[in-house]
Amino acid sequence: MKPALTVFTQLASTALILGLAAPAQADGMLMPHLPRQPIAPIREVPNFAIKHHKVKVTIKDQVAETSVDQVFHNPINRELEGTYLFPVPEGAVMSRFMMDVDGKMTSPELLTAGEARRIYEEIVRRRVDPGLLEYAGQNLYRARVFPIPARGDKAMKLGYEQVIERKDTLHHYRYGLSTEKFSSQPLQNASISITIETRQPLKNIYSPSHEISVHRIDDTHATVSWEASQVKPDQDFDLYWSTSTEAIGATLLSFKDGNDDGYFMLLAAPKVEWPAAQAQSRQMTFVVDTSGSMSGEKIKQAREALAFNLNQLTPRDQFHVLSFSDIVNPFTPGLVQAQGQPLSDALRFARGLEANGGTNINEALLTALKTPAGQGVPMLLFLTDGDPTVGVTDFGEILKNVKAANQRDVRLFVFGVGYDVNIPFLDKLAKENHGTSEFVRPNESIETKVSRLFAQISHPVLTSPKLSWGTSSTRDVLPTQLPDVFKGSQMVVVGRYRSPGSQTVTLSGQVNGKPASYSFPNQSFAAGRTPHSFLPRLWASRRIGQLLDQIRLSGQNKELVEEVIRLSKQYGIITEYTSFLVRDEVDVRARADAAPMMQQAEEQFTRSLSEADKGGSAVSQSQNAANLQKQAAPAPAGGGSYLDAEGQTTQVHQVKYVAQRAFYLKNGLWQDSLPAEKLPQLNVERFSPLYFALAQQPGVKDILALGEQVEFVYSGHLLRIADKGQSQLSPEIKNKLKL
């Protein structure tokens, strides 16, 4: 008979007082060891595997209730005991913290940061795993769990309340997902589901750490979700949201380090319940390629996509449909109202489209743009699967003609179908006409992609937007051309600034054809470091995307290439153009303009640009650049990912971004990219007193947590963690390293 479950626990004597505090780190780890034995480096005791991890959070105003379900798996043929560790940042306020292990409730022991540090350091020594150093310096809940059956599972449930961090109208919640990296196997599934209820209307909802799905129920209720499978999360989950009674709410986050120019991000979102009287109508023109190359499945999907989108129009919208091959075939001479007989006739027209003839892109677009103006925001959806073969066929001339004809600032949304379209031409066509471009691979659905975009642009709120930043001396603001604001959307703008201080930011534009302006006073451009340290890397991601677009669409330029390499190297952002940086033989500490670095770069750029016009690689390059430019959150702590020629995601595992610097894995050694050629080198013995003294310095514990082999610049020295080296914290060493 198996022994009954025993949980050894000592109730914390420290009272938890509700109040404003830092966000709580909210996930624990179960460290394995033999029954009644310390956590030791026994070969037969690997880390437990985490099979499932489900988190549900209910946030009402400033109080969050979090419940966690975890299932741990013992991978060996021997009964084990576990020590459950739950790190909590200093100052976090949590109450009603309870654990349910196989139906038995317990209150874990709360240890101070000093006590927790000793436990972490002891585990690091015994298990030869520096990863836990990341959590040193934080308070810690601890409980012992026994038994954990051989090759069996142990289900654990946690529940606690906490007070949400709030600054003015900005709220912040954190869940410490990064401890799941200690799982011996990828998680079968992990999910976070959050329900938010506020008294004031919700505006911006943003995660700098994960790609989230947001469903806005009404102005004061929303749900946020994230889900993944077969993953080992290594980054905490962060969520920000703001409240405002204004029609459009805005929040500015900023970060400045030393004398360097600062970084900022502005989030702006309209209210959900937008009054019907203020809803803007649209002038929708559909231009569909029906040339011979569209025959078969493509023309069938084009018919279905057009019919679906016609049915999504509202009675206040006006529309026009043109099909084209070597000749242009308009449905009507001009715009008609989206209701009654005109709509029924248009649906019959769409279902009767046939594919034959050549491709006269120039004439089709000029005919569409000459349509007499109607009421509402002018938009044009253009779908084609090939290059122009009839009429004007020069790409440059077509671009020039379209730009000259677009006197009404029509938003031109382009869809390229298949691999025979010229990708740079269609990208330029969209960019020069206030629109976007999408590409449909041979194995993808035209209807799905067209319908998804159509849903996003269904309710324009503010058109032709512009931003004024007060006297903050902003620069390198991205995107350079602001997108229209639609109901349910969120504008994300990043940039740099020279002058810190409080400013009034103004967003202006057109609402129903009339000027409108929204002012957001007391927006802080910080004078120093803030919790928003993700901003430099987010800005760098968007800047790299912009530079790659310039190179891809206008040709290779030494200065632009050099800046791409410098930013990619500094921030650990790897693309198909900079993938050479992860090769073992490439010295990432070399200057971006150094001859060996530029030679590698030119070879890689030349190879990529040779495939930038047509085919799968060209589609991926366009999508990669677009993804970087519209990125709302920085790449994960790793080097991120990009699409290969087949559209498959390439994950970059040889790069980590910690402590505001990029580290590259070179021949088993994690090394940062800071210049170190003239610095004295000092070997530090792993797990020695000096090693743990370094771990207590700001940022260093995160660096040491990368692994056993690490090399980094610190206090004017190049430190290398090694089997042998300096071990004692002598006065001379303390002085050298300023410890």
Side-chain angles (χ1 to χ4, degrees):
M1 181 176 179
K2 291 188 177 181
L5 172 73
T6 305
V7 178
F8 302 90
T9 180
Q10 175 183 344
L11 293 177
S13 59
T14 305
L16 296 177
I17 304 172
L18 289 177
L20 190 61
Q25 185 141 339
D27 186 24
M29 62 203 99
L30 189 62
M31 307 303 295
H33 50 94
L34 298 177
R36 293 174 294 281
Q37 297 291 324
I39 302 173
I42 303 173
R43 290 181 180 273
E44 60 185 301
V45 188
N47 284 342
F48 292 115
I50 303 172
K51 297 176 70 174
H52 307 286
H53 187 167
K54 182 184 295 184
V55 183
K56 288 189 176 181
V57 186
T58 300
I59 299 173
K60 189 171 183 179
D61 292 322
Q62 210 176 323
V63 177
E65 294 184 3
T66 302
S67 62
V68 183
D69 286 355
Q70 288 176 290
V71 177
F72 293 89
H73 178 72
N74 177 1
I76 69 172
N77 193 28
R78 186 170 184 176
E79 187 177 83
L80 292 175
E81 183 177 307
T83 297
Y84 191 79
L85 305 175
F86 190 99
V88 182
E90 188 69 36
V93 175
M94 301 168 62
S95 64
R96 288 177 50 195
F97 187 103
M98 298 296 292
M99 289 176 58
D100 178 346
V101 185
D102 290 345
K104 185 172 182 178
M105 301 301 297
T106 182
S107 297
E109 175 187 10
L110 177 62
L111 305 177
T112 65
E115 294 171 316
R117 184 186 301 279
R118 288 191 291 273
I119 289 173
Y120 284 130
E121 291 182 1
E122 184 62 22
I123 295 174
V124 167
R125 287 190 185 96
R126 290 180 178 274
R127 292 191 65 82
V128 197
D129 183 356
L132 278 173
L133 288 174
E134 179 181 341
Y135 308 99
Q138 300 171 189
N139 291 344
L140 174 71
Y141 282 102
R142 177 180 66 175
R144 298 181 71 189
V145 180
F146 178 78
I148 302 167
R151 300 200 179 279
D153 295 340
K154 180 65 67 179
M156 300 183 66
K157 296 182 179 181
L158 306 176
Y160 58 88
E161 290 183 356
Q162 71 184 88
V163 176
I164 293 297
E165 177 191 16
R166 175 183 172 184
K167 184 177 181 182
D168 298 325
T169 62
L170 183 67
H171 303 71
H172 180 206
Y173 172 84
R174 170 173 291 174
Y175 182 79
L177 197 61
S178 64
T179 53
E180 303 299 64
K181 65 189 174 188
F182 295 106
S183 175
S184 61
Q185 297 292 329
L187 279 66
Q188 293 179 18
N189 56 69
S191 65
I192 298 176
S193 175
I194 302 176
T195 300
I196 304 175
E197 178 183 345
T198 59
R199 294 180 185 178
Q200 297 287 331
L202 276 165
K203 287 300 186 294
N204 300 291
I205 301 175
Y206 172 75
S207 172
S209 59
H210 292 75
E211 291 187 12
I212 57 174
S213 175
V214 178
H215 174 55
R216 297 174 183 267
I217 301 168
D218 55 36
D219 274 335
T220 58
H221 296 80
T223 60
V224 178
S225 60
W226 169 83
E227 188 170 358
S229 58
Q230 298 302 317
V231 293
K232 291 180 73 172
D234 61 356
Q235 189 169 5
D236 292 341
F237 178 89
D238 281 297
L239 183 70
Y240 291 87
W241 65 97
S242 65
T243 57
S244 172
T245 57
E246 301 297 325
I248 295 179
T251 300
L252 188 134
L253 307 180
S254 58
F255 178 87
K256 193 173 188 297
D257 192 4
N259 295 322
D260 294 339
D261 287 354
Y263 299 82
F264 72 87
M265 174 178 68
L266 181 82
L267 302 170
K271 58 186 178 183
V272 175
E273 298 168 356
W274 198 265
Q278 297 180 20
Q280 298 198 62
S281 59
R282 295 169 297 172
Q283 306 170 49
M284 293 298 310
T285 301
F286 301 92
V287 180
V288 182
D289 184 349
T290 57
S291 60
S293 58
M294 283 286 293
S295 62
E297 185 63 25
K298 285 192 283 189
I299 194 65
K300 178 183 176 183
Q301 288 194 31
R303 291 191 206 111
E304 293 170 349
L306 178 56
F308 177 86
N309 291 327
L310 286 169
N311 279 318
Q312 300 307 305
L313 295 170
T314 66
R316 67 177 182 273
D317 294 325
Q318 295 177 303
F319 75 96
H320 188 28
V321 182
L322 297 90
S323 65
F324 75 96
S325 53
D326 50 309
I327 60 172
V328 179
N329 182 23
F331 160 62
T332 60
L335 292 162
V336 293
Q337 212 67 32
Q339 58 183 339
Q341 193 62 45
L343 185 58
S344 299
D345 292 344
L347 288 168
R348 280 194 294 273
F349 179 85
R351 296 187 181 106
L353 294 178
E354 297 290 343
N356 55 71
T359 309
N360 194 338
I361 291 177
N362 185 75
E363 188 64 26
L365 290 174
L366 295 188
T367 301
L369 291 170
K370 290 175 184 176
T371 302
Q375 298 295 319
V377 182
M379 300 180 182
L380 190 157
L381 268 68
F382 173 59
L383 186 148
T384 184
D385 78 330
D387 290 346
T389 59
V390 177
V392 178
T393 58
D394 180 77
F395 294 129
E397 190 173 348
I398 295 174
L399 291 171
K400 181 180 177 181
N401 292 342
V402 170
K403 194 169 184 179
N406 191 4
Q407 297 297 312
R408 294 185 292 122
D409 194 22
V410 176
R411 282 78 170 150
L412 207 164
F413 299 97
V414 177
F415 288 87
V417 180
Y419 287 156
D420 292 329
V421 292
N422 186 282
I423 306 299
F425 164 64
L426 295 184
D427 278 339
K428 289 179 183 178
L429 189 63
K431 287 179 182 296
E432 292 178 4
N433 294 278
H434 206 82
T436 60
S437 52
E438 288 272 357
F439 298 96
V440 186
R441 296 177 188 270
N443 60 338
E444 294 179 326
S445 166
I446 298 173
E447 182 180 3
T448 299
K449 286 217 168 184
V450 175
S451 301
R452 184 185 302 142
L453 172 75
F454 196 77
Q456 293 171 357
I457 62 174
S458 63
H459 192 143
V461 171
L462 183 73
T463 58
S464 303
K466 295 181 180 179
L467 280 164
S468 171
W469 305 100
T471 59
S472 57
S473 301
T474 59
R475 67 177 178 89
D476 295 331
V477 177
L478 301 169
T480 54
Q481 185 178 58
L482 296 179
D484 295 331
V485 178
F486 294 89
K487 180 180 176 181
S489 70
Q490 181 166 268
M491 178 189 290
V492 181
V493 181
V494 300
R496 305 199 64 182
Y497 65 93
R498 297 185 180 89
S499 306
S502 182
Q503 300 289 340
T504 295
V505 176
T506 303
L507 174 64
S508 58
Q510 298 280 321
V511 174
N512 279 326
K514 298 179 180 179
S517 181
Y518 304 89
S519 293
F520 312 107
N522 303 317
Q523 300 297 321
S524 176
F525 291 86
R529 297 175 68 91
T530 67
H532 314 308
S533 58
F534 62 87
L535 290 175
R537 197 167 188 237
L538 174 59
W539 174 85
S541 294
R542 288 196 164 198
R543 176 63 173 159
I544 289 171
Q546 180 200 35
L547 292 169
L548 289 179
D549 246 1
Q550 291 181 33
I551 293 169
R552 188 173 59 86
L553 301 180
S554 302
Q556 197 164 332
N557 174 290
K558 182 180 178 182
E559 286 73 23
L560 297 183
V561 170
E562 183 181 319
E563 187 174 358
V564 169
I565 300 305
R566 180 180 61 79
L567 291 173
S568 297
K569 188 168 68 75
Q570 178 180 351
Y571 292 100
I573 300 167
I574 305 301
T575 70
E576 69 273 40
Y577 283 85
T578 56
S579 59
F580 69 91
L581 289 172
V582 303
R583 297 176 193 156
D584 285 339
E585 69 274 13
V586 174
D587 180 10
V588 290
R589 291 202 169 106
R591 289 169 52 94
D593 60 354
M597 185 71 75
M598 287 302 295
Q599 182 180 350
Q600 294 266 10
E602 287 178 6
E603 291 175 0
Q604 183 87 28
F605 273 70
T606 300
R607 184 163 51 251
S608 295
L609 288 172
S610 69
E611 302 172 341
D613 285 349
K614 290 191 175 186
S617 179
V619 170
S620 292
Q621 289 184 43
S622 174
Q623 291 176 332
N624 288 332
N627 289 339
L628 284 169
Q629 290 180 85
K630 65 185 179 184
Q631 201 162 299
S641 62
Y642 57 89
L643 300 177
D644 63 15
E646 284 71 43
Q648 300 301 309
T649 300
T650 298
Q651 295 285 349
V652 180
H653 300 290
Q654 304 98 313
V655 180
K656 297 287 184 182
Y657 190 77
V658 297
Q660 296 298 104
R661 65 177 89 174
F663 281 80
Y664 294 79
L665 186 61
K666 302 286 185 175
N667 297 306
L669 173 70
W670 285 105
Q671 58 177 196
D672 64 15
S673 58
L674 298 182
E677 183 180 357
K678 298 180 180 180
L679 297 181
Q681 182 169 331
L682 177 65
N683 286 359
V684 176
E685 183 178 324
R686 191 179 302 106
F687 310 140
S688 66
L690 175 56
Y691 176 92
F692 286 112
L694 283 167
Q696 296 185 40
Q697 305 307 306
V700 177
K701 65 178 182 179
D702 299 322
I703 294 173
L704 297 180
L706 286 170
E708 295 184 40
Q709 305 288 334
V710 186
E711 185 179 79
F712 60 101
V713 173
Y714 180 78
S715 191
H717 290 73
L718 180 62
L719 302 187
R720 184 163 187 171
I721 308 303
D723 294 333
K724 294 182 179 181
Q726 184 70 38
S727 62
Q728 299 305 311
L729 194 60
S730 66
E732 180 186 2
I733 289 295
K734 289 178 68 174
N735 183 56
K736 276 185 178 181
L737 300 181
K738 298 180 176 60
L739 297 176

